[in-house]
Amino acid sequence: MVVIGLIFAVVLAGAAVPLLKYLDNELVARRFAAAPRPASGEIVYLAIDKKTLDTVGTWPWPRSVYAKLLEKLSGAGVNDIFIDIDFSTPSSPTEDTALAEGLAKVGGGVILPVFSQRLSAGDPGLLAVTRPIPMLGANAWLAFANVVADDDSIVRSIRGGDMLDGQKTQSVAAVLGRSDDADGSVLIDYSIDPKTVPMISLADVFDPAFDDNRLAARSVVVGAYASELKDIFPVPVYRQLPGPLLHILGAETLKQDRLLRPVPRLPLDLGFAALVISVVLSLRARPTFLVAWLATAMLIAIEGLAFFLQKNYGILLSTASCWAVLLLGILLALTEKVNFSRFLMEIANAEQRNIRRLLRKVVTDSTDAVIAFDHNMNIFEVSASAGPMLAASTSSRRGTSLEDVLPSSLYRQVLSLVAELVREPLAVHGCTHEVAVEVDGSLRHLDATVTLSPLERPDETGRSVTTSFIGSLMIRDMTARRHYEERLRYLSQFDDLTGLMNRRTFSTHLKEYEGQFFVLAIGLHRLSVINATMGRDTGDDVLRGVAALLTAEPRITAVARLGGDVFAIVIPKRGVERQEEMIEIVMDLFAAPMKVGLSSNQLSVRVGICADMLPDEAGDVWVERAEHALDDAARVAGSGWRAYDPAAALQQQHARELERAMRDSLTRGEFYLAYQPQVDLRTGRLRGAEALLRWNHPSFGLVSPATFIPVAEANGFVCELGRWAINEACRQAALWPDELSVAVNVAPVQLIRSDLVADVGLALQRHGITSRRLQLEITESAFVERSSQVFGTIKALREMGIEIALDDFGTGYSNLAHLAEFPLDKLKIDQSFVRKLADDPRSLAIVQTVKSMAEGLCLRVVAEGVETQVEAQLLAAMGCELGQGYYFGKPQTSKDILRLLDAAPWITAA
C-alpha cells in the first residue's frame, strides 16, 4: 500500500517535482534533436561578429553607421528590417538625426526593439518599458524584444507581445512570423536547426562588392553574434544561441505553423498509473523478469508515441511521470515477492552495528582525549590520545577507574556533577573545567568538558526508572593556545624589538605618575640611511642600543617606543627647572658615537616636548602633543628640539581632517567647478573660460583652494581631483557653442603619477568635444625636474590637439632656457604684474617684455587679474591676445557663462 500511495503521489505532484520537470525538459529536447528540420530561409541573420567589429572599429557604433546600413538594405529590396540594438539613450544630436533621417527614408519598414521589465512580483501589470528615443521611435515599427528564461535559466519560449501605451504590441517574433496574435507565449520549436538560418557577416554587407540579390525579398535581422557583445542565452539542444537568433527561431516557429501544444498530463498519468498497478498485481505470481520486460516494452511504446506526436503534429507529451510510475511499479512487484518489513529490519540492524563500530573508531582515533564512563565511574571507552595527554598509562585500558586517571581537581568536578544528577535525575548535566597537568617536566593546560546523561532501566515491576547514567569527558590540550595568548598579551603592551612599553601602555602609565613631569618624544635622524647602507639588522641593533641608553639614565623614569625610530620618555620636573636642561640630558646621551658591532655610528636626534598638562587629560593626548612638537623639530636641520605649540598642532589637525574628508566629498559631489571668462582683448568677445576647482563642505563650509590643494598634492589625491575636474569641464563645455574653449589647471604631480593622456582622451570621447576646445594650464614648478616623462606627456597632449598654457608666469622657477625647450602654446602673465600696470612703469615694462618674448617664441599671451577698463585697453594696445579677471566676470556657473555670449563686448579694439 505504501508503494501504491507513492505512485499516486508522484502522479498528482507531476511537474511540481523538480527532478520530473527537469527530465521532461530533457526528453523534449532529445526529441527535437532526433528530428531536425530546416529553416524557411526567408529570414536572414546579419551578424555583428568579430570580423564586423574589427572592420567598423569602435563599439557602440555611431548611429550614422546604422543609417548607412538602412540605405544599403533598402536598395537591396529587403522586406522587414529588425535592428536588435538598444536605442533608448540619446547619442550626439548629429548621430541621432542621421539615424532618424535614415529610418524616415525607409518609410517605417524598420523594426526597433522595446524592452519591458516587471517592477513588482505582486503586480504583474506594473512595467518599466525601455524604448527608442522619440525621434527614432516616430519613424520605426516598435516591437517587444524581451528574452525571458525559465526558472532553470534556459530559454524555451518567447512572448507573443505585451502592452505598450495601453495598446497590445506584438513581439519581434510575431512581426517577423506574420502572426496577428499578440497574447501569451510561443514555445520555440528547437527542431528547427539554427545552422540552416542564412547568416551573413555585416562586414560583408558593407563591402561594395556584396551581391544584393542575396537579401532581395527577404526579412533581415541585424544583431550581435560576437561573444564580446555578451548577447548569448542558454537554450535546449544547442546549449547557447545569440539573442537575435532566438527571435528568428520564434518567427520560424510561427511561419512553419509549428505551434507546440502540451497535452494535459494528469488524465494520462492517472490512467497509466492504474494500468501499471493492475498489471503488477495480476502478475504477482509470475517471474519478476516478465514484469521487467513488460515495463520496458511499455516505456518504449510511450516514448515512441511521444516522439511521433512531437515530430509530426507539434504535440508535447510529458512522460517523466510515466518513467517514475514504471520504476515504482517494479518496486511494487518486488515487495509483493519479499517480506519487505523483515528486509527493512535487517537493514536497520546492520546500520546500527555499523554506527557502533564507526563511533568507536571516531573515539579511538580522536586527537582530543575522549573518555566515556558508567555510573560506577569505570571507563568503558577511551581514545588513544588520553594517556599521553593525562600522563596516565592506565587510561589506555577499558575498565580502569576514572579516579586513577584524572587529576584530583577534575575528578572532584565530576563528583560534584554526579551530586547534581542525583538531585535532578531527569536532566542532562554538564560543565567545563580548566586544569594544569605536569607532563615530562613541563606544565600542560587542559580544557575539559564533562557531560552526564541519565539512562532509564526497568525495575522489578518492569517499569522504566532512571537509576544510572553514562558520562563523557572531552579534554583538549590548550597549552599552545595559552602560550599564544600570553605572547599576544605581551605584544599588546610591549615593543617586541626593544622590550620597551608600546604607545598604549605608555599612555596608560602616564596617568599613574604623581607630581609634575615632562613628556618627550625623541626621533632618530637618518636611521633610514643606516638601514640602507649597513643593513636592517644593524638598524635594529641601533634601536636596541638606544633603548638601553635611555633606560640606563637614572633621571628618565619611563621609556617607550612609539613606533619606527620614535621613542618617548618621562623626566620628572623635580630638580629640572628649564626645558633646556632636559634637552641637555637627552643630547648628552647621544654626544658620543654608539658602537654597534664593529662600527660606530654618530646619532643625531630631534626632540619634541610636552610640558603643560592638565590632570584630567588622557595620557595619549600628552604623547600626541609631544609628537606634534617633534614634527616641528623635524623641520630643523641636524639635531634640534621644539616645545608643543597649540596653534601649529591645530593647523596640522585641520589639514588631516581635510585630507580624511576629501575622498568622501568627491563621492558625494561636494566639489564643483566655477568658470571665469576669458575674453579676446582685440574684439571684446567671449572666447572661453578657465575652470576653477571649489569645495563646499557641509561642516567646513567653503574651503579655499589655497588650503585644500596643497593637502591634495601632498597625499596624491590631486590626481583623482584632477581627473574629475577634466571630465566635469568637458561635460559642461559640451553644452557650450563650439567657439568657446575651457581651460583646466593640472598639478605637476598629475604629469608624473597619473595617465593624464588617457584621462583627457577618455573625457573628450565620452562628452563628444574636440581637442581644440580643451586647454590645460601647468605651473612653472613643473619645470623643476624637467624629466623626460613630463616632456613626453605634454608632447603627447599637444599631438592630440590640446593647447598647453604656462600659468602664473614670472612668479616661479622658470627661465628663458626652459621656455625655449618646453612645448607650450600660451603664457599667462601673473595678476601681480597686471594689477600694477596703470600705475607702475616697471610692471608695464615687464608685461611689454613678456609679450615681446612670447612673440619670439610663437606663444600667445593671456593676462590674468584684469580689473579695470584701463588695464584691458593697455593690454590690448600691447598686443596681448586674451584677458581674464573680475572686469570681465567673477568665477560663475556654466549657465552664467552662456548668458555672457549675448552681452555686448566689454571693450573695443585699441
Side-chain angles (χ1 to χ4, degrees):
M1 293 303 295
V2 174
V3 178
I4 294 176
L6 283 175
I7 291 175
F8 283 105
V10 168
V11 170
L12 294 176
V17 180
L19 179 61
L20 296 181
K21 185 176 181 180
Y22 168 79
L23 183 58
D24 269 330
N25 289 331
E26 284 297 310
L27 291 172
V28 170
R30 296 296 178 90
R31 295 170 199 143
F32 280 142
R37 63 183 72 242
S40 66
E42 298 176 5
I43 304 176
V44 180
Y45 181 14
L46 300 186
I48 304 175
D49 53 7
K50 188 176 186 305
K51 178 181 177 182
T52 309
L53 294 177
D54 294 340
T55 300
V56 177
T58 61
W59 182 265
W61 291 343
R63 293 183 177 174
S64 56
V65 174
Y66 298 105
K68 294 176 183 178
L69 175 62
L70 291 178
E71 182 178 358
K72 175 79 173 179
L73 297 179
S74 178
V78 301
N79 291 335
D80 295 328
I81 302 172
F82 169 52
I83 303 178
D84 193 9
I85 301 294
D86 186 2
F87 294 114
S88 61
T89 56
S91 179
S92 66
T94 303
E95 295 294 330
D96 289 341
T97 302
L99 180 54
E101 292 176 353
L103 292 170
K105 289 179 181 179
V106 176
V110 179
I111 306 167
L112 294 184
V114 176
F115 302 95
S116 64
Q117 183 179 5
R118 307 293 177 188
L119 293 179
S120 172
D123 187 0
L126 190 60
L127 298 176
V129 178
T130 303
R131 67 179 77 196
I133 61 176
M135 67 185 304
L136 301 182
N139 295 288
W141 188 351
L142 302 184
F144 280 98
N146 292 76
V147 176
V148 181
D150 291 348
D151 294 338
D152 57 358
S153 301
I154 295 179
V155 179
R156 296 186 177 87
S157 63
I158 200 160
R159 292 186 59 81
D162 220 321
M163 298 298 295
L164 179 64
D165 297 333
Q167 295 182 346
K168 288 185 177 179
T169 301
Q170 291 181 302
S171 66
V172 173
V175 174
L176 294 176
R178 305 296 182 183
S179 173
D180 296 330
D181 194 4
D183 294 325
S185 298
V186 177
L187 291 172
I188 299 176
D189 186 358
Y190 284 105
S191 65
I192 302 173
D193 191 350
K195 296 180 181 178
T196 62
V197 175
M199 186 175 72
I200 303 173
S201 173
L202 204 53
D204 296 339
V205 177
F206 284 126
D207 191 338
F210 178 73
D211 184 8
D212 293 345
N213 292 326
R214 297 173 64 183
L215 302 177
R218 294 183 175 185
S219 297
V220 169
V221 173
V222 180
Y225 182 80
S227 59
E228 293 91 336
L229 302 182
K230 300 180 180 179
D231 190 16
I232 304 295
F233 298 90
V235 298
V237 184
Y238 310 106
R239 299 183 67 179
Q240 290 184 332
L241 291 177
L245 200 51
L246 291 179
H247 296 300
I248 295 176
L249 291 182
E252 288 285 350
T253 301
L254 295 171
K255 292 177 72 70
Q256 298 187 31
D257 195 20
R258 287 286 298 172
L259 293 177
L260 303 176
R261 302 180 299 279
V263 174
R265 63 187 306 156
L266 187 58
L268 176 65
D269 290 348
L270 285 174
F272 186 75
L275 176 63
V276 169
I277 292 171
S278 62
V279 169
V280 169
L281 294 180
S282 64
L283 297 177
R284 68 177 66 183
R286 300 297 181 91
T288 305
F289 77 88
L290 180 60
V291 177
W293 183 87
L294 284 176
T296 304
M298 295 172 69
L299 189 60
I300 293 173
I302 196 167
E303 283 300 322
L305 176 63
F307 176 75
F308 175 79
L309 293 176
Q310 183 170 324
K311 175 185 176 183
N312 297 293
Y313 301 103
I315 297 175
L316 302 182
L317 196 63
S318 299
T319 59
S321 298
C322 298
W323 285 61
V325 168
L326 282 174
L327 291 176
L328 290 173
I330 295 174
L331 180 61
L332 178 61
L334 292 175
T335 59
E336 290 295 318
K337 296 180 178 293
V338 180
N339 188 337
F340 199 63
S341 299
R342 182 176 179 181
F343 177 68
L344 292 179
M345 185 179 297
E346 289 295 331
I347 291 177
N349 290 334
E351 184 177 0
Q352 190 174 14
R353 289 192 297 271
N354 289 334
I355 290 175
R356 284 199 298 268
R357 285 195 293 268
L358 180 61
L359 288 177
R360 176 168 289 181
K361 181 69 173 174
V362 170
V363 170
T364 303
D365 296 345
S366 175
T367 56
D368 293 335
V370 180
I371 301 175
F373 55 94
D374 57 21
H375 64 285
N376 294 320
M377 296 297 182
N378 293 324
I379 297 174
F380 65 84
E381 200 66 67
V382 62
S383 65
S385 58
M389 189 177 296
L390 295 170
S393 59
T394 55
S395 65
S396 60
R397 297 198 303 269
R398 299 181 180 90
T400 305
S401 173
L402 192 65
E403 185 178 7
D404 297 336
V405 174
L406 299 184
S408 57
S409 62
L410 180 56
Y411 184 71
R412 287 195 298 271
Q413 187 68 35
V414 175
L415 293 179
S416 175
L417 207 60
V418 171
E420 293 182 11
L421 181 67
V422 172
R423 291 191 295 270
E424 298 182 44
L426 298 180
V428 176
H429 296 266
C431 69
T432 59
H433 183 72
E434 294 183 5
V435 62
V437 179
E438 187 173 346
V439 180
D440 297 331
S442 62
L443 198 62
R444 181 173 293 174
H445 299 275
L446 306 178
D447 189 2
T449 301
V450 188
T451 304
L452 300 183
S453 302
L455 288 179
E456 292 184 354
R457 290 188 176 185
D459 60 4
E460 294 79 2
T461 62
R463 291 182 304 174
S464 180
V465 295
T466 302
T467 59
S468 62
F469 64 86
I470 59 171
S472 65
L473 267 167
M474 298 286 294
I475 306 174
R476 175 164 295 182
D477 190 344
M478 306 297 289
T479 306
R481 180 174 178 179
R482 180 68 63 85
H483 291 167
Y484 179 69
E485 290 174 350
E486 291 174 353
R487 177 64 177 167
L488 288 180
R489 189 178 301 108
Y490 173 82
L491 293 178
S492 68
Q493 298 176 358
F494 298 94
D495 176 52
D496 188 35
L497 178 64
T498 63
L500 299 176
M501 290 183 287
N502 61 16
R503 176 187 297 271
R504 185 175 63 180
T505 306
F506 183 70
S507 299
T508 303
H509 280 290
L510 287 179
K511 297 297 293 183
E512 300 174 0
Y513 287 105
E514 297 181 356
Q516 294 183 326
F517 53 88
F518 296 100
V519 177
L520 288 76
I522 303 173
L524 304 183
H525 184 42
R526 297 175 62 81
L527 178 65
S528 59
V529 176
I530 296 177
N531 287 330
T533 57
M534 305 180 67
R536 189 165 293 277
D537 290 340
T538 301
D540 291 345
D541 289 339
V542 169
L543 291 173
R544 283 189 284 263
V546 171
L549 201 65
L550 296 173
T551 306
E553 169 56 49
R555 288 168 292 184
I556 298 176
T557 58
V559 185
R561 184 185 177 204
L562 301 182
D565 58 359
V566 179
F567 295 82
I569 63 174
V570 172
I571 298 179
K573 286 188 177 181
R574 60 180 181 272
V576 181
E577 298 296 335
R578 298 179 300 109
Q579 296 178 356
E580 288 79 359
E581 296 180 47
M582 285 187 303
I583 295 302
E584 290 179 4
I585 293 174
V586 175
M587 294 303 179
D588 288 345
L589 292 176
F590 296 93
M594 176 178 290
K595 188 173 181 60
V596 177
L598 299 177
S599 63
S600 295
N601 298 275
Q602 182 65 54
L603 299 179
S604 60
V605 296
R606 287 149 177 175
V607 183
I609 304 175
C610 174
D612 298 322
M613 296 167 285
L614 299 177
D616 58 345
E617 290 180 323
D620 55 353
V621 175
W622 302 341
V623 175
E624 185 177 349
R625 289 176 179 174
E627 288 182 302
H628 280 307
L630 178 61
D631 290 340
D632 290 340
R635 300 185 181 92
V636 180
S639 299
W641 66 279
R642 286 287 185 274
Y644 171 69
D645 182 3
L650 185 62
Q651 185 176 1
Q652 292 179 8
Q653 181 181 357
H654 183 60
R656 286 195 293 270
E657 290 174 351
L658 291 179
E659 182 178 352
R660 287 193 294 268
M662 279 182 180
R663 194 172 301 275
D664 290 339
S665 287
L666 184 60
T667 303
R668 294 194 298 263
E670 294 167 2
F671 285 95
Y672 66 94
L673 294 181
Y675 301 87
Q676 188 168 32
Q678 292 182 339
V679 175
D680 189 327
L681 292 174
R682 291 169 293 184
T683 64
R685 302 300 300 178
L686 182 67
R687 287 292 175 260
E690 179 183 0
L692 302 173
L693 188 61
R694 296 291 184 262
W695 183 11
N696 188 8
H697 190 272
S699 300
F700 304 138
L702 285 172
V703 185
S704 170
T707 301
F708 72 80
I709 291 295
V711 177
E713 289 180 337
N715 64 15
F717 187 64
V718 72
C719 294
E720 292 186 44
L721 278 178
R723 185 181 301 113
W724 175 85
I726 291 172
N727 184 74
E728 177 66 11
C730 290
R731 185 183 72 83
Q732 293 291 350
L735 305 176
W736 299 351
D738 288 344
E739 66 267 18
L740 295 186
S741 62
V742 63
V744 182
N745 289 280
V746 173
V749 69
Q750 288 180 258
L751 297 170
I752 299 174
R753 295 189 185 178
S754 66
D755 192 349
L756 186 60
V757 176
D759 293 341
V760 170
L762 181 61
L764 294 176
Q765 181 182 6
R766 179 181 297 168
H767 302 294
I769 70 170
T770 58
S771 57
R772 64 177 179 80
R773 297 182 60 200
L774 177 62
Q775 302 170 12
L776 298 181
E777 298 185 0
I778 61 176
T779 60
E780 295 185 52
S781 58
F783 290 151
V784 174
E785 294 188 8
R786 301 176 62 198
S787 67
S788 58
Q789 181 181 355
V790 173
F791 276 80
T793 299
I794 295 180
K795 181 180 178 181
L797 290 168
R798 294 186 77 231
E799 289 174 353
M800 292 172 59
I802 307 296
E803 287 192 345
I804 305 298
L806 180 61
D807 197 11
D808 300 333
F809 179 71
T811 62
Y813 312 96
S814 64
N815 53 42
L816 293 179
H818 289 159
L819 291 179
E821 296 175 5
F822 222 78
L824 297 172
D825 299 287
K826 293 180 180 179
L827 287 181
K828 295 191 72 175
I829 302 176
D830 186 68
Q831 58 185 347
S832 61
F833 302 115
V834 175
R835 289 177 180 173
K836 302 176 183 179
L837 199 61
D839 303 321
D840 186 0
R842 290 177 296 181
S843 296
L844 182 62
I846 290 174
V847 174
Q848 289 175 331
T849 302
V850 171
K851 174 57 183 171
S852 299
M853 179 185 64
E855 288 179 353
L857 296 174
C858 299
L859 303 177
R860 285 175 291 163
V861 174
V862 182
E864 293 184 297
V866 181
E867 296 187 353
T868 66
Q869 184 175 5
V870 173
E871 293 170 352
Q873 290 175 342
L874 285 173
L875 291 167
M878 284 186 285
C880 294
E881 286 81 3
L882 295 175
Q884 176 182 339
Y886 279 15
Y887 175 65
F888 305 112
K890 295 182 179 181
Q892 52 199 278
T893 66
S894 174
K895 292 181 180 179
D896 292 334
I897 292 292
L898 291 176
R899 297 190 185 99
L900 295 179
L901 284 173
D902 300 327
W906 285 271
I907 59 175
T908 56

